Amino acid sequence: ARPLVIAVDGPAAAGKGTLARRLAAELGLPYLDTGLLYRATGRRVLDRGLDPRDAIAAEAEARAMTAADLARTDLRGPAADMAASAVAAIPAVRAALLDWQREFGRRHGAVMDGRDIGTVVFPEAPIKLFVTAATGERARRRWAELHARGVAADLDQVEAELRARDAQDAGRSTAPMKPAEDAVLLDTTDLDAEAAYAAALLLVRTRM
Ligand code: C5P
């Protein structure tokens, strides 16, 4: 049988990372946070003092990326968020990262979280979740995350940045963020992490 791939897509701070990681542990599957690939690419471009919208530079950095880049400690935060989203809108960057993601999933199966796993990377995945939450609630969660890490942030600004990134991710022409036609929508606005996980596990179990 083909190794199982579970696609977990959705906007930032909807809870998909926590949920995907726990599902992977529960099911004994590897977990892949595909956002890291775009974040590391964006960081490499910024390191070179170049613009993340520069298609030539961004493609070169996507192709030159190594495992060490994925382990960097500066991949989270407003600058990294926007650089990731900028390089992610470039078709050549997405193409450069596609085979690697498919190879990863095909080898041992995976729970993969991102924006286009169910639509582009693994359209044949038998289980697809699209995790959402109201923007205000996602902003509060992201703000609390930053606060817990000791990063001072303004809630309105966090929300404005989430909105800008969602608009860029959903509005790009290549692999825009959107639910696959056969994805199950999970709205976590009124669910805590525990309840969201329980709901996701139930959905997955009924489809396995
Ligand atoms: O999920 P995360 O917030 O870490 O993703 C960072 C950025 O990477 C997203 O805003 C999006 O632009 C891009 N991304 C993507 N496709 C994926 C995963 C992430 O375009 N599968």
Side-chain angles (χ1 to χ4, degrees):
R2 209 187 271 176
L4 176 64
V5 171
I6 298 179
V8 182
D9 291 304
K16 65 185 190 311
T18 309
L19 198 145
R21 202 174 277 112
R22 280 187 71 179
L23 280 179
E26 170 71 25
L27 302 172
L29 290 169
Y31 164 65
L32 181 64
D33 171 0
T34 63
L36 281 184
L37 303 172
Y38 297 93
R39 290 173 178 278
T41 300
R43 267 293 167 203
R44 287 183 60 109
V45 177
L46 292 177
D47 284 352
R48 296 194 48 207
L50 298 172
D51 186 333
R53 289 167 303 185
D54 177 337
I56 304 287
E59 181 188 359
E61 297 309 323
R63 294 193 183 280
M65 199 169 38
T66 66
D69 290 312
L70 302 179
R72 292 173 64 146
T73 55
D74 59 354
L75 298 179
R76 312 246 163 229
D81 291 351
M82 290 315 281
S85 183
V87 300
I90 299 167
V93 168
R94 307 199 69 86
L97 300 174
L98 191 56
D99 287 346
W100 193 90
Q101 294 175 77
R102 287 188 173 152
E103 195 51 39
F104 185 101
R106 277 187 194 137
R107 197 164 301 151
H108 305 291
V111 179
M112 295 174 69
D113 90 46
R115 302 290 185 288
D116 66 335
I117 308 305
T119 51
V120 174
V121 183
F122 278 100
E124 72 279 26
I127 303 174
K128 301 176 184 179
L129 301 182
F130 194 86
V131 185
T132 58
T135 313
E137 176 58 20
R138 290 191 288 118
R140 275 189 290 282
R141 290 177 193 170
R142 179 50 52 89
W143 180 88
E145 233 174 82
L146 291 166
H147 189 75
R149 278 165 41 201
V151 180
D154 174 70
L155 182 60
D156 289 338
Q157 195 175 336
V158 169
E159 179 163 339
E161 281 166 4
L162 277 183
R163 284 187 191 281
R165 189 145 66 97
D166 288 351
Q168 179 156 277
D169 291 345
R172 67 187 175 218
S173 45
T174 305
M177 165 174 74
K178 66 170 180 207
E181 275 176 23
D182 53 346
V184 177
L185 300 188
L186 177 60
D187 185 329
T188 69
T189 307
D190 299 318
L191 304 179
D192 62 15
E194 198 55 45
Y197 172 67
L201 187 60
L202 195 66
L203 287 170
V204 167
R205 290 275 188 227
T206 59
R207 275 168 177 73
M208 275 176 83

